[in-house]
C-alpha cells in the first residue's frame, strides 16, 4: 500500500505568523497531534506539535508553594508558530506504508506530512496506519474478490482471509495471472501476507 491510499487530504494548517495559542486550540479542538505549517504560496515550511506548544506554557500552581517559596523560573513561552515549529520529516503520496511506519517508529513521531513538488498534499498519522491494518477479514476478502475481477473469470479464484493473511487458490495454470493477483491482494488495506496456490496437477 502507498501513502495516498490512507492519507488525509483535507488538512488543517497554520502559517508561521499564527499565534501559538491559536495553534494549540486547533490541536485540542480537532484531536490532532501536529499541524503542518505552510507559507503564503502553500509550500510546507515546518510542523508544530503538541510538545512544542506545551513547552513552558503551564506555570506552577502557587497553592503548592510553601513559606513564600518562589516558583521555578521558566522561559517565556513563544508567541508565534514560527518560534516553535520544527523541520518536518516528509513522505510522498507514493511512499510505501511500511516505510512510513518505520519512519514514525524510528523517530517517535505520530504524523508525517505528505508533499508533492514541495506542496502539502496531505498528512498520514499512526491512526491511519492502525486503521489500515485493523480492517475486518470479510471486508478485505470482498475487496480482493472485486479486484480479481480484473484478472479473468472471478470464479477461478478461491479467496480466504484470516487475521489479515490471504490465501488465494487459482483454478487455472497461469503464473502471470497469479503474479498480478498477488500484487492486487498485497495492495489491499489490511493485508499482512499473501499466499497463492497453483492448481494441483493430476
Amino acid at each position: 500500500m502507498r501513502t495516498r491510499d490512507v492519507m488525509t487530504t483535507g488538512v488543517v494548517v497554520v502559517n508561521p505568523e499564527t499565534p501559538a495559542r491559536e495553534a494549540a486550540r486547533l490541536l485540542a479542538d480537532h484531536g490532532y497531534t501536529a499541524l503542518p505549517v505552510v507559507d503564503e504560496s502553500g509550500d510546507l515550511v515546518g510542523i508544530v506539535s503538541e510538545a512544542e506548544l506545551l513547552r513552558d506554557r503551564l506555570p506552577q500552581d502557587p497553592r503548592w508553594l510553601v513559606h513564600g517559596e518562589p516558583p521555578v523560573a521558566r522561559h517565556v513561552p513563544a508567541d508565534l508558530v514560527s518560534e516553535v515549529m520544527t523541520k518536518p520529516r516528509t513522505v510522498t503520496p507514493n511512499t510505501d506504508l511500511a516505510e512510513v511506519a518505520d519512519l514514525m517508529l524510528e523517530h517517535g513521531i505520530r504524523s508525517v506530512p505528505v508533499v508533492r513538488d514541495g506542496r502539502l498534499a496531505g498528512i498520514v498519522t499512526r491512526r491511519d496506519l492502525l486503521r489500515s491494518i485493523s480492517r475486518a477479514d470479510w471486508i478485505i476478502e470482498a475487496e480482493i474478490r472485486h479486484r480479481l475481477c480484473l484478472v479473468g473469470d472471478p470464479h477461478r479464484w478461491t479467496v480466504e482471509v484470516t487475521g489479515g493473511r490471504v490465501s488465494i487458490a487459482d483454478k487455472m495454470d497461469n503464473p502471470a495471472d497469479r503474479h498480478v493477483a498477488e500484487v492486487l491482494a498485497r495492495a489491499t488495506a489490511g493485508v499482512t501476507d499473501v499466499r497463492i496456490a497453483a492448481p494441483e496437477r493430476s
Side-chain angles (χ1 to χ4, degrees), residues 48-96:
V48 61
S49 71
E50 297 166 318
E52 286 83 38
L53 291 170
L54 279 172
R55 187 167 290 114
D56 300 318
R57 208 164 289 278
L58 293 173
Q60 282 183 294
D61 188 332
R63 292 172 296 181
W64 291 98
L65 302 174
V66 295
H67 306 301
E69 178 185 352
V72 175
R74 289 177 178 265
H75 295 292
V76 177
D79 290 326
L80 302 177
V81 164
S82 60
E83 300 174 75
V84 293
M85 70 183 190
T86 59
K87 183 178 180 180
R89 301 179 187 279
T90 63
V91 295
T92 73
N94 288 322
T95 303
D96 193 302

Side-chain angles (χ1 to χ4, degrees), residues 19 25 42 44 47 57 81 97 105 148 175 181:
R25 185 190 66 77
L44 180 70
I47 192 164
R57 208 164 289 278
V81 164
L97 280 189
L105 294 174
L148 291 180

Side-chain angles (χ1 to χ4, degrees), residues 23 130 195:
L130 289 173
R195 301 298 172 97

